[in-house]
């Protein structure tokens, strides 16, 4: 299992637009096959950093998921919304593999 962490730099004056964008992904991402952990908007500290986090079984599954997301009507609408509102200034994706499992005391 891979975890994709999307780090966004957002326009701090357009936090409400990012939150709408996040809610839309909250519908589209699970429907298209990824296990959405959540989208996170700035609250305290930095006013420009936001995150999207989801799990996907493999990079091959990621490619298929991205194709489904691009074809999804809400996905298309959300991509267009982000472009028209210009609240995303930068977007970086990192894929990580859990290294600390199992968690907790095995006793």
């Amino acid at each position: 299992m891979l975890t994709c962490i999307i780090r966004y730099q957002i326009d701090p004056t357009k936090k409400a637009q990012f939150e709408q964008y996040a809610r839309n992904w909250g519908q589209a991402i699970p429907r298209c096959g990824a296990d959405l952990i959540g989208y996170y908007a700035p609250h305290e500290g930095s006013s420009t950093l936001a995150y999207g986090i989801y799990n996907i079984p493999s990079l091959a599954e990621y490619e298929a998921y991205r194709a489904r997301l691009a074809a999804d009507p809400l996905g298309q609408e959300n991509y267009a919304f982000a472009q028209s509102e210009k609240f995303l200034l930068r977007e970086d994706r990192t894929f990580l593999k859990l290294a600390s499992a199992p968690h907790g005391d095995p006793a």
Side-chain angles (χ1 to χ4, degrees), residues 38-97:
Y39 266 72
Y40 299 86
H43 178 71
E44 188 70 29
S46 173
S47 63
T48 61
L49 290 180
Y51 295 89
I53 306 170
Y54 60 88
N55 292 319
I56 197 91
S58 67
L59 289 176
E61 282 291 321
Y62 171 75
E63 294 301 326
Y65 151 77
R66 290 285 292 183
R68 290 188 298 272
L69 197 60
D72 183 84
L74 183 55
Q76 292 173 350
E77 183 181 312
N78 220 25
Y79 287 128
F81 174 63
Q83 288 184 341
S84 69
E85 294 294 317
K86 301 187 184 325
F87 53 88
L88 299 179
L89 306 176
R90 184 177 173 144
E91 181 176 334
D92 297 306
R93 277 180 181 71
T94 301
F95 292 88
L96 302 173
K97 186 174 181 180

